[in-house]
Amino acid sequence: MDVETTANCTCLNLRKASRAVTQFYDEAFKPVGLRVTQFSLLALVANKGPAGMKELAKFLVMDRTTLTRNLKPLIDQGFLVVIKSDDRRQRPIAITSRGRNRLAQALPLWREAQNRVVANLGRETWVGLLQSLSATVSATTHE
Amino acid sequence: MDVETTANCTCLNLRKASRAVTQFYDEAFKPVGLRVTQFSLLALVANKGPAGMKELAKFLVMDRTTLTRNLKPLIDQGFLVVIKSDDRRQRPIAITSRGRNRLAQALPLWREAQNRVVANLGRETWVGLLQSLSATVSATTHE
DNA sequence: TTAAGTCAGGTGTATATACACCTTATTTTT
DNA sequence: AAAAATAAGGTGTATATACACCTGACTTAA
C-alpha cells in the first residue's frame, strides 16, 4: 500500500466511504423522512439531555455554524427546541416529545441498517474500523 | 463495543472522522487555494486521462449531479475543461496545463499532510483503516 | 424506419459543511 | 465601575451532497 499515491489519500477514501455509507443509511431512513445526520442529532440530544451548541459541535467535530444549519430543519419540524439558560449567551438544545416519537420510529430502521453493515463487514472488521476511525479523529484534531 | 448503541453508528463515526480529516487536509492546502475535494478531482482526472462524468462519479461513489457541481469551480478557474467526444452525449473532462501546474504545487502539501496522518496513526493502523474503508464501500454499495 | 427505450448529462431545491465577520453576554483587568 | 478580553451564537457566502425532474443523443424494436 503506497502512502504517496494520491489514490490512497486518507481523506479521499474516508469521504468516499462516508458517501457510500450515508447513502445506505439515508435509504434505510426514508420511511420516517429523516436523514442519518438528523437521526444522529436527535439521538445525541436525546441522550446528552439539553446541551449547549458548542458542546454538541465539539463532540461531533463539526463547525459550530454547521450545527446551527443542521438544527434548523429539526427545529422547524418541532423535533428539537431551543430552551432558556441562566447564562443568556447559551441557547441549549432539547428534544421534544414529537422528537422522541420520531426517534422511536427511526430506531428500528437504524438497527436494521447498522446490523446489515456489521454483518456484511464482519464483526471483527467493524470493531477495527470503529477503532481506527476514533484514532483518526485523534490524529487529526488539535487540543 | 455495542453494535446497538447509536453512539457507535457506523455512519456517524465515519462522517465525524471525515470532517476531522477534511479539516486537516483543507488546512494543509490553504497555501495553494484548493480544497481536498478539488485536489482529489484534479489528481483523478490527471491520472485517468480524459474521462466521462459517469465513470468519474462511479469511481468516487458520488452522485453524478454532485460531480457536476464539484467540477464547476475547477472549470471556472481553468484547471479542467470539457472536451468533445464522438458520442455527443458524453462531455469528457480533461486537465489543462494550468490545472497540472496547480496540481504540481499542491502535491508536496498533500504528501506532507498524508505523511503526518500516517505517522500519527501508525502505518499498520493506517493500512488497516484503508482496507476497512474499501470493504465498507463494498458492503454498502449495490450496482 | 420510425417509435420506444435507454443513456449521458444538466437544473431546481434542500440539506451539509465551514470560513469570515458580526452581535450580545459574561468575565477579567485596570 | 468602566474598559478590555473572552465566550456563545448567528448570518453571508461558497462549496459538497443528492433527489426529482428535464433535455438531448444514441440504440433497439415494431
Side-chain angles (χ1 to χ4, degrees), chain A residues 13 15 34 39 42 44 60 62 71 77 120 133 137:
Chain A
N13 286 280
R15 292 183 69 92
L34 288 176
F39 169 82
L42 278 186
L44 181 63
L60 293 166
M62 181 183 281
L71 288 172
Q77 290 180 272
N120 287 357
L133 291 176
V137 171

Side-chain angles (χ1 to χ4, degrees), chain A residues 35-125:
Chain A
R35 299 194 177 184
V36 63
T37 311
Q38 302 177 342
F39 169 82
S40 293
L41 252 179
L42 278 186
L44 181 63
V45 174
N47 291 327
K48 275 188 123 61
M53 294 187 48
K54 189 173 187 180
E55 184 191 352
L56 293 174
K58 184 172 179 180
F59 175 80
L60 293 166
V61 196
M62 181 183 281
D63 192 274
R64 208 177 33 73
T65 66
T66 300
L67 182 57
T68 300
R69 309 295 157 99
N70 289 357
L71 288 172
K72 187 170 187 306
L74 295 169
I75 292 173
D76 288 351
Q77 290 180 272
F79 298 147
L80 296 178
V81 278
V82 181
I83 62 176
K84 299 278 180 197
S85 166
D86 284 348
D87 185 335
R88 282 183 308 171
R89 287 174 301 186
Q90 288 190 55
R91 281 159 231 197
I93 307 299
I95 193 164
T96 63
S97 51
R98 238 174 101 70
R100 279 192 199 283
N101 281 343
R102 187 57 60 99
L103 183 57
Q105 290 167 352
L107 259 173
L109 303 180
W110 174 77
R111 279 201 199 95
E112 170 155 356
Q114 176 84 346
N115 284 330
R116 273 229 299 256
V117 169
V118 176
N120 287 357
L121 267 181
R123 215 194 132 88
E124 298 257 325
T125 304

Side-chain angles (χ1 to χ4, degrees), chain B residues 3 7 10 16-17 21 23 65 68 75 98 105 107-108 117 129 140:
Chain B
V3 174
T10 318
K16 208 163 134 173
V21 174
Q23 285 161 24
T65 67
T68 299
I75 291 173
R98 237 174 103 69
Q105 290 168 351
L107 259 172
V117 169
L129 173 66
T140 51

Side-chain angles (χ1 to χ4, degrees), chain B residues 15 19 23 53-54 64-65 68-69 91:
Chain B
R15 292 182 70 92
R19 285 190 291 269
Q23 285 161 24
M53 295 187 48
K54 188 173 186 180
R64 210 175 32 74
T65 67
T68 299
R69 310 294 158 98
R91 281 158 233 197

